[in-house]
């Protein structure tokens, strides 16, 4: 069985870390903003120990050879198509796990291509329709102020690429000092920051139906009650947008940065979900 080290799609080349037992059932792990594939480093050893193969890409805007400059090239359907292409490269359906923006991609992939997704685990971010609903039913709009600030040209890049500012921002959201220093260091490259920000800037261009379809695959939603970015309302509304088996796991006393902060517990939840007899 061949390893997937790069994925070429639409003139873009994505870096992929394909590790674990080559004959194991594949798990696709999708990172969020402003992280990269290293955000899963503490999770994958537990998955490998249970016999699973993991595929962890640097997504669009993060891989050095996959950073288009136009914001329209970061619309959510394109991001989901990148993930679908990686599943196609593996040659079989995959278990999909996404954190933060990676969860938004995972929801979209599961809705658009259920044939490629055996199970879905969404970490931190609820179903996109539930998230939008929470803007008018809760304080989520206030929590999401940064999404609007990121629409500004050049200023967000300037601020976030300053290591002291980037580190302070991440620490205020509950990220640990080592992880914050790691992610702030990679943001010191303005081109890296721009790629991640374009995910936010492309949101108005994706269209209202891009991510709103219901999901039929077995789904696990993992949320933490000290998440400063995502409130409870969207999480509670998510069940109505899943027609397949659904379970919610709440990590109490944990920040938004679940894969860094509680990797073993997250790995346990993922393994419980994907190894249930009905799967």
């Amino acid at each position: 069985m061949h390893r997937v080290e790069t994925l070429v799609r639409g003139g873009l080349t994505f870096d992929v870390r394909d590790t674990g037992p080559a004959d194991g059932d594949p798990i696709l792990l999708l990172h969020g903003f402003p992280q990269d594939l290293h955000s899963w480093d503490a999770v994958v050893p537990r998955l490998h120990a249970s016999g699973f193969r993991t595929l962890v890409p640097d997504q669009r805007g993060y891989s050095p050879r996959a950073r288009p400059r136009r914001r329209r090239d970061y619309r959510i359907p394109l991001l989901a198509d990148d993930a679908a292409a990686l599943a196609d490269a593996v040659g079989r359906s995959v278990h999909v796990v996404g954190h933060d923006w990676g969860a938004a991609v995972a929801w979209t992939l599961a809705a658009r291509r259920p044939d490629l997704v055996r199970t879905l685990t969404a970490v931190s971010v609820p179903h996109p329709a539930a998230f939008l609903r929470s803007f008018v039913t809760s304080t989520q709009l206030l929590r999401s102020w940064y999404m609007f600030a990121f629409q500004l040209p050049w200023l967000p890049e300037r601020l976030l690429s300053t290591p002291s500012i980037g580190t302070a921002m991440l620490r205020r959201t509950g990220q640990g000092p080592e992880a914050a220093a790691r992610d702030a260091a990679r943001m010191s490259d303005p081109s890296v920051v721009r790629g991640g920000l374009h995910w936010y800037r492309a949101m108005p261009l994706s269209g209202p139906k891009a991510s709103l379809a219901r999901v039929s695959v077995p789904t696990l939603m993992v949320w933490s009650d000290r998440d400063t970015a995502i409130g409870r309302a969207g999480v509670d509304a998510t069940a109505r947008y899943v027609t397949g088996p659904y379970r919610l796991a709440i990590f109490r006393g944990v920040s938004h940065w679940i894969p860094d902060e509680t990797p073993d517990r997250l790995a346990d939840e993922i393994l419980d979900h994907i190894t249930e007899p009905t799967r």
Side-chain angles (χ1 to χ4, degrees), residues 16 65 82 88 92 167 170 172 178 200 242 264 271 275:
V16 181
R65 293 171 291 174
D82 293 339
D88 282 333
R92 56 192 296 194
T167 300
L170 294 169
R172 280 197 300 271
E178 291 185 6
Y200 293 95
V242 181
D264 288 345
L271 290 168
T275 58

Side-chain angles (χ1 to χ4, degrees), residues 4 9 28 31 62 75 80 86 90 97 100 109 128 135 207 273 277:
V4 182
R9 192 179 97 81
L28 173 60
H31 67 80
Y62 296 86
R75 289 168 292 167
L86 183 51
V90 176
V97 181
D100 187 78
L109 174 63
F135 275 46
H273 177 52

Side-chain angles (χ1 to χ4, degrees), residues 71-145:
R71 63 175 183 146
R72 68 183 183 184
D73 292 325
Y74 293 84
R75 289 168 292 167
I76 192 71
L78 296 177
L79 304 174
D81 287 346
D82 293 339
L86 183 51
D88 282 333
V90 176
R92 56 192 296 194
S93 61
V94 297
H95 300 284
V96 180
V97 181
H99 173 245
D100 187 78
W101 259 112
V105 175
W107 283 113
T108 307
L109 174 63
R112 289 162 57 92
R113 294 294 308 273
D115 58 304
L116 294 178
V117 180
R118 293 181 61 182
T119 67
L120 166 64
T121 301
V123 185
S124 299
V125 172
H127 187 282
F131 184 61
L132 289 175
R133 175 185 174 87
S134 71
F135 275 46
V136 297
T137 62
S138 70
T139 60
Q140 184 60 58
L141 187 63
L142 295 176
R143 288 176 179 261
S144 300
W145 64 269

Side-chain angles (χ1 to χ4, degrees), residues 121-203:
T121 301
V123 185
S124 299
V125 172
H127 187 282
F131 184 61
L132 289 175
R133 175 185 174 87
S134 71
F135 275 46
V136 297
T137 62
S138 70
T139 60
Q140 184 60 58
L141 187 63
L142 295 176
R143 288 176 179 261
S144 300
W145 64 269
Y146 60 92
M147 293 185 177
F148 302 97
F150 287 170
Q151 303 300 318
L152 296 171
W154 69 263
L155 182 60
E157 283 94 331
R158 179 74 176 272
L159 294 174
L160 293 176
S161 63
T162 302
S164 60
I165 295 176
T167 300
M169 179 199 74
L170 294 169
R171 294 288 287 131
R172 280 197 300 271
T173 62
Q175 194 172 29
E178 291 185 6
R182 175 198 67 202
D183 295 335
R186 65 176 303 280
M187 283 196 297
S188 63
D189 180 349
S191 69
V192 173
V193 181
R194 182 181 302 111
L197 290 173
H198 275 354
W199 288 45
Y200 293 95
R201 290 167 176 162
M203 290 173 67

